[in-house]
Amino acid sequence: MRRTGKSVLTAASAVVLVLAGTGAPAQAAEPSALFLSVSGSDDTWSRAIFLSCPAGEEGHYHPAGDQACADLLDADGDFDHLRGTPHFCTCERDPVVATAQGLFADALVSWTRTYRNSCALDAATGAVFRF
């Protein structure tokens, strides 16, 4: 099952390369494009989605894109500073790995974090990884 994790990272790298080469001039609300993924321990499962800010309306875009973009804007694009939606979670140990690759505003993003379980991920990151 390791192929799944590697293919997710390969796809994310492709998104970064395509976006980095666009050379589009910055706009007032600088567009952002991120490839987000969540996987279970040892890559037993994974899911991924594309987040475009401002939020996209077509294709396989994030279902809570507007809120996810707002949350990232509040955190100045720093995934470690997301406010999340703090709530009680069990201490169950079922690790999940969250990753983000791409561009936010004018900065390249390459972020990975492991959480105790999917509830802890949701509490820490809010709408961003709710897909």
Side-chain angles (χ1 to χ4, degrees):
M1 286 295 191
R2 289 266 182 219
R3 280 190 187 163
T4 304
K6 289 180 182 175
S7 60
V8 167
L9 290 176
T10 300
S13 298
V15 168
V16 171
L17 291 175
V18 168
L19 293 172
T22 60
Q27 299 173 1
E30 296 177 34
S32 301
L34 297 162
F35 184 78
L36 306 174
S37 68
V38 179
S39 62
S41 62
D42 297 325
D43 291 326
T44 54
W45 59 269
S46 67
R47 63 183 185 262
I49 201 157
F50 182 75
L51 174 63
S52 173
C53 298
E57 297 178 7
E58 299 178 21
H60 294 77
Y61 289 99
H62 199 294
D66 289 333
Q67 185 61 52
C69 290
D71 290 352
L72 280 167
L73 190 59
D74 285 347
D76 199 25
D78 186 342
F79 282 76
D80 290 325
H81 290 108
L82 288 169
R83 290 185 188 159
T85 51
H87 55 271
F88 176 76
C89 293
T90 65
C91 292
E92 173 188 12
R93 180 123 178 94
D94 188 13
V96 294
V97 178
T99 63
Q101 302 285 326
L103 292 173
F104 187 81
D106 60 352
L108 283 175
V109 173
S110 181
W111 178 88
T112 301
R113 183 81 57 233
T114 301
Y115 293 89
R116 177 177 286 281
N117 54 43
S118 56
C119 179
L121 166 67
D122 184 68
T125 63
V128 175
F129 286 96
R130 240 179 242 152
F131 55 85

